[in-house]
Amino acid sequence: MENLMPVPSHIQAGEGKYRIENTFQVKVDGVISPRISAGVSRMVARLGGRTGFFFPQVFFNVADTVEGPDLVIQAAGIARMELGMDESYVLNINEDGLQLTAHTDVGVLRGIETFLQLLDADEKGYFLPAVYIRDEPRFPWRGLMIDVSRHFLPIEVIKRNLDGMAAAKMNVLHLHLSDNQGFRVECKTYPKLHELGSEGGYYTHAEIKEIVQYASDRGIRVIPEFDLPGHATSWFIGYPELASTQEEYELQHAYGIFDPTLNVTLEETYVFLDAFFKEMSTLFPDSFIHIGGDENSGRHWLANEQILAYMKANDLKDQHELQSYFNGRLLEILGKYNKQMIGWDEILQPGMPGNIVIQSWRGQESMVEAAKEGYRTILSNGYYIDLTQTTEFHYLNDPLPAGTDLSPDEEDLILGGEATMWSEIIDTETIDSRIWPRTAAIAERFWSPASVRDVDDMYRRIKVFSYQLEELGLTHLKNAPYLLRRLTRDAPIESLATLVDIIEPVKGYRRNEIRMHYTYSQMSRVVDVAIPDADKARSFRKMVSGYLEGEAKDTKLAAQILSDLKRWEGNHAQLEAIIKASPILWEIESLSADASACGKIGLEAMDYIQKGIFAPEEWAVNSWSTVYHARRPRGQAELMIVSAIEELIDFTAPDLSKNKGDNTLTGKEIAEGWKLLFDGETMEEWRGIDRKKIPKIWEVQKGTIFCSGSPEGLSGQGKNLLSVEATSYFEFAIDWKVSSGGSSGIFYFCPENDGEPLSGSNLQMQIGDGEKSSQLDQTKASGSVWGLIPASSENANPAGEWNRARILVRDNGQILHIQNDKTLVEYAPGESWFVEWEKIVAESSFKGNPSIEKPERFGHIGLEDEGSEVWFKNIKIREFK
Amino acid sequence: MENLMPVPSHIQAGEGKYRIENTFQVKVDGVISPRISAGVSRMVARLGGRTGFFFPQVFFNVADTVEGPDLVIQAAGIARMELGMDESYVLNINEDGLQLTAHTDVGVLRGIETFLQLLDADEKGYFLPAVYIRDEPRFPWRGLMIDVSRHFLPIEVIKRNLDGMAAAKMNVLHLHLSDNQGFRVECKTYPKLHELGSEGGYYTHAEIKEIVQYASDRGIRVIPEFDLPGHATSWFIGYPELASTQEEYELQHAYGIFDPTLNVTLEETYVFLDAFFKEMSTLFPDSFIHIGGDENSGRHWLANEQILAYMKANDLKDQHELQSYFNGRLLEILGKYNKQMIGWDEILQPGMPGNIVIQSWRGQESMVEAAKEGYRTILSNGYYIDLTQTTEFHYLNDPLPAGTDLSPDEEDLILGGEATMWSEIIDTETIDSRIWPRTAAIAERFWSPASVRDVDDMYRRIKVFSYQLEELGLTHLKNAPYLLRRLTRDAPIESLATLVDIIEPVKGYRRNEIRMHYTYSQMSRVVDVAIPDADKARSFRKMVSGYLEGEAKDTKLAAQILSDLKRWEGNHAQLEAIIKASPILWEIESLSADASACGKIGLEAMDYIQKGIFAPEEWAVNSWSTVYHARRPRGQAELMIVSAIEELIDFTAPDLSKNKGDNTLTGKEIAEGWKLLFDGETMEEWRGIDRKKIPKIWEVQKGTIFCSGSPEGLSGQGKNLLSVEATSYFEFAIDWKVSSGGSSGIFYFCPENDGEPLSGSNLQMQIGDGEKSSQLDQTKASGSVWGLIPASSENANPAGEWNRARILVRDNGQILHIQNDKTLVEYAPGESWFVEWEKIVAESSFKGNPSIEKPERFGHIGLEDEGSEVWFKNIKIREFK
């Protein structure tokens, strides 16, 4: 009973147990639909699989006339697969028998899943605990989107995931069927769509029907997405006349945002789409069709004279109005075939009718806004399971968080949400481990009451749920040993598994940033076996925190910690030879060595802790240094025990890990490679630009570097400060404050001999008065890349208060602006994979400036004289070689 | 190179290595067929999966114009999927490049599999060793039969197994599509076949086409089997008018041989079959159709007046002639649709034309006979992989063993063979582990030269092959941990895995004899996870034998043995709590305890051995007794380390384990429960029948019991000897010899007060002069069940030489006659699952004799006076309680 997932809306424990014997029989008493008979057959098979019983009943194709059944199932009616269908059920278990009743056959299916989760055993055999459950979902739209365009997925992958969804009581499968990388469904009207746009990977009509039927049998709707007008390359291989530019189209095998766009100004396009959607409307019976609508750059539109002329003639002032016009036309077509429209955020443009549904990938704020405008919405932001975030992260993300100012009617417009499985970095072998079990936590968020938010309890239950998913054919657990065997070239896998248990793939979009993947890439490396939320590492971190919080008194916890540390300490010695014999593993050799080094340091720290003595300074500094380097991703994976090891070191060396005042470094910081750029007394690390002396407006004032600011009209004339040392990849930290209305900037990659004022040709993290920031053009607010990229939020303190700025330049060219511990900007100027850059510069005042378009990646740090009073302290830098 | 499987027909190692880098490219130079382009794509994907490289090439849909390719592939033509197609290839690898050439695109596929098996790695990275391989198959028919009738198998199961077959260079998939338990293919002409005969489990036309295409893409022919005229219940649910009796037909869910039979005397039947085979001939493009033909009891024919009249009118004297007539008619129909006929042994009847193919399930002898009559044959006897025999057993079974007296032309008629996966005791989750990896050994038997027979080397290579099969999606390895997790109810699986590693399912047909399984039964118990050829146990047995043969001097081997024994000794302590918490495991609790007991005894024995002392007598006897009881199957599984433990005990107690002369028991025999029934001096354990004194013709003579034999005409009058004790389940052993031409018998289950001579109403193992035996009716030869069941071979010694007879009565009612260590008869009189018994009795001289039809399963042992001189000694018995 304590393992139910999702937690039912109402549950009341009873007294006693109902025994399950090999004579177990079910009587279906009310309506018998195919959904019920097949669902009950599957239930009995799963029960048989778990118990080993050969039950007397066979197939539930026909009404059973069972005497004295154990379980009586009664549905009042047959559900239509549509938004808002009744999925509630009541499950009543006591010593005398089992009853499952529901308004619809889908309710019965939901109840069956709960029923199966209740199976338990004791010394007398199998039983179900007495309980009364009345259950219904919180949100009517509980979806999973699967992108079958980037990596095509055979039908059996879809089917087993439908089974997983049903187990988690989800009810919408959203198939992302077309994109730049592939058109994945047979189109009889325009066969060149799938023939030329798929490289053979597409679903036939028969297969789609099979998917739809399979889903419906499990109470799941299927919603097809045809992403338009962008993300459309795959349409143009066979039908280039639909495109906005006339070129040789080829399928994309790489990932990113691309320009090919539907020409929405031609009437022929609508003739095509009409016939296309007519066919698809029949193939997909659901009343919704998803039209994508996201990430249309508009570039191909604006480069086409005919389109420009059309826009002018029709008074469409920009690409957004043109897309809005297109959506309107699409809406007409869908309406003709009795379909409602759903699309990503971007389809929400003035003039769209109220019955569309908005799928928010950009955030809760835009979602709440849409609801206020009267639109129905579902949330996907925060549910991007391809980004390998933790389960907890997704679990606590609520489509309708407490504290919005929505009215009850507006709240009703929040229909639920969808987890999104984008398929750039998955394949048939790894997708299940990316979807499951994390998606069960999201499913619970959609089904259970909002108050169900206990993370520890969720982690406990999801582990059980994860095991139960296996009986549905999901491979999220069982593929790992196979993948490990292939990696070790059939050597024993235990030591590699020990390492994999404590690593995770780098989060967010970093994998593709580090190494470009392709639609045909095999996901067979160590990082692909690593799961997004490494159980073992998480529980170790929890143990260490608990142990140290308890003042290291819990000897049982200490023993468990030591046991883990010992295993890791010795692991590399076993794994090393296996790595050497298998080239695919070479990329994680140093990661494995670091894991063992962490184990060793952890053991040493535990020894100091258990002896009650402080660690020697040298040991602590060396250990921090090792641990710091162990944080680096290798093979696109990160070691997830490092923070816990660090906690242990910190605990053994409390003085060295604590700060001793402004403009000093802790032992730990020294170990991590930090260097002070200001000692509180001299400006030796700084000089004026163009190798000149320090301008007079800069001086040391009470342990700070103070700039009094050039008089009005004279700032920006080169009286900036420049660091003596130059560097390429680094982390730079600085504390700053300004006087009222004041601002300054931190330049980076400043060249040696420029002559130009820094502000004209350098990237800059703008800083300034927090109260003033919000009144500015956001690309000029504190934290922004000045004049180029806005900060994602405003968190600078008011004038007179200290702030902390950090600039991080990663070895893949990625730059982060971090203000008061919040990352406000993440970008990668001039990197080919950061495709937006070109456009950002073109639309800025730096247009045509080569040192911004393709910035030098080496140079000095600059502090700006912007005519305001500004103070700096705690200035430090560490370089990455 | 040393891992290739099957071993190529010609291989010559070269010098050097060819490096595989991430720039690896393939050029297809000759014919490009879809088979080649898809095959090469799959090859590149597998190479990418293993190496982690993202290769520059993508899809091989079109001719590639590659400069400086690494691998050049050249096929001269496109193969037609037919018997005898050219599958040869040449693979040439040297430091300068790689070439794969073949006469056909199927040859290319075969070469690709070899190519992938050659991938290796060293400290510089991946490479292929220089080698020249010229390869072709020994037999043209290398098949796997899958029975999809008993347990229906979804198409993805078939597809992944086709991939496995292709990896093993097999070329025929034989689908057993109809049987009493299900009709598994859509029939548009007669839709009630699949609609009413399948319970929803059948392949649609589209799916069959997909299977045929998938197979053809891999160079594999698909041959459908429609089993007729018996095994036909599933036809009659929808079309009862085709049956020989008019009754309510229902699908069988149980297993066995059943009577429903096609009425082959109605012209309507042929009209039906003509239309049916017309449809199937189009659906299945191969030129062969399998018509089954096996195990037709003929009972329903002989019970039908109309059929009897037809037979009389058409001069068909028995059921065999009627079946022959039917086959002739079928042959006409198949001929009309350009199909050749293949069927099981039984279709070979006088008058069948020479172009049929006989599939021998009954044995090599019948196969050789068929070849001599000019028929083409394939062998399946010895390849019944459902019977969970060892890999070695199948591997050494040769379709064309050395030493047949076939002419070269006749040898050419032996086309190859098929492994048969009957599906009574498998399901979707376990089938792969029943097929693989053992079938790879059979595939090698069919492909490689006959001289490739090194069992140890096969076991070494098949392990590698087994791992490589995983990349094709086969679940034979990866399903085990999942199944174990379900069994332990998510408790740690290590200790259960340790046990499962050393057990095997009971062999042969014993599983169904112990517990009836059904078409809908889940195969989820411990025995279903156990594999047929437990690696770990086999290697342990080998180590122990090697260690003892080496006089216990190899300390490294000793250390390995000790390590295994220690793990087993401690295992039950860990597993016990898990078993107790999971009712499905209760059936193996004592097996687990016995495994640990074996571990403990093994350790103690090793201790004596290593100390160089003999074990105490009490310890030895107790240990033998424990080990003897550990042999019992539990949960239908057997512990496979017992014989090795026994070897260790024997070694420590050589005197006690050796025989001290006639009519004595060894300590080991005493431990195993044996009791002497003759001490060499007195006949105390025996008396005359009907509680009478011992007849005068019996006396003790020089340590034997001697019967001088009643004078001619007076034997068979009750002067037999009867054991004093009576029993039900037992093993009885006796040494015997006769004078020239002499014979006797050993009765069992003799009643207390009969009055009848034993020979009139008792089951009897006949014994007698080996030279005379061969001249007799084989049901009266030595070893037979007299007058009822012939001995399977003649191995009695000539008169005057001693023989050893053993009779074993198992607790499932099964009785074995064993003569000179060979099992000659295995039957189960009166047991419902031994369906043949009724017929055997009806056709014997015991017809109508109730004490034979349903024999008492309790009574005395009788020794027969058959009028000859006969001597007995070493008479012993052990009872099973």
Side-chain angles (χ1 to χ4, degrees), chain A residues 49 470 478-479 485 524 584, chain B residues 49 126 470 478-479 485 524:
Chain A
E470 288 200 274
K478 69 184 181 182
N479 266 6
R485 280 189 282 271
S524 63
I584 195 171
Chain B
Y126 294 101
E470 288 200 274
K478 69 184 180 183
N479 266 6
R485 279 189 282 273
S524 63

Side-chain angles (χ1 to χ4, degrees), chain B residues 2 24 41 55 129 135 173 180 186 195 199 312 319 331 374 382 448 455 488 511 570 638 672 742 762 795 842:
Chain B
E2 63 278 10
F24 175 82
S41 295
F55 296 120
D135 198 11
L173 172 68
N180 298 308
E186 179 187 20
E195 284 169 5
E199 282 153 337
K312 200 168 173 187
Q319 63 185 83
L331 205 58
S448 302
V455 171
T488 62
R511 277 195 69 183
E638 293 176 292
E672 292 179 358
N762 277 93
N795 71 336

Side-chain angles (χ1 to χ4, degrees), chain A residues 45 49 52 58-59 120 123 126 199 467 470-471 478-479 482 485 489-490 515 520 522 524 583-584 586, chain B residues 45 49 52 58-59 120 123 125-126 199 467 470-471 478-479 482 485 489-490 515 520 522 524 583-584 586:
Chain A
V58 188
F59 299 96
D120 206 343
E123 73 292 344
Y126 294 101
E199 282 153 337
Y467 287 133
E470 288 200 274
E471 74 187 5
K478 69 184 181 182
N479 266 6
Y482 143 58
R485 280 189 282 271
R489 304 184 64 236
D490 312 337
R515 179 183 185 186
Y520 49 86
Q522 304 298 305
S524 63
I584 195 171
W586 293 350
Chain B
V58 187
F59 299 96
D120 206 344
E123 72 293 344
Y126 294 101
E199 282 153 337
Y467 287 134
E470 288 200 274
E471 74 187 5
K478 69 184 180 183
N479 266 6
Y482 143 57
R485 279 189 282 273
R489 304 184 66 235
D490 311 336
R515 180 184 184 184
Y520 49 85
Q522 306 295 305
S524 63
I584 195 172
W586 293 350

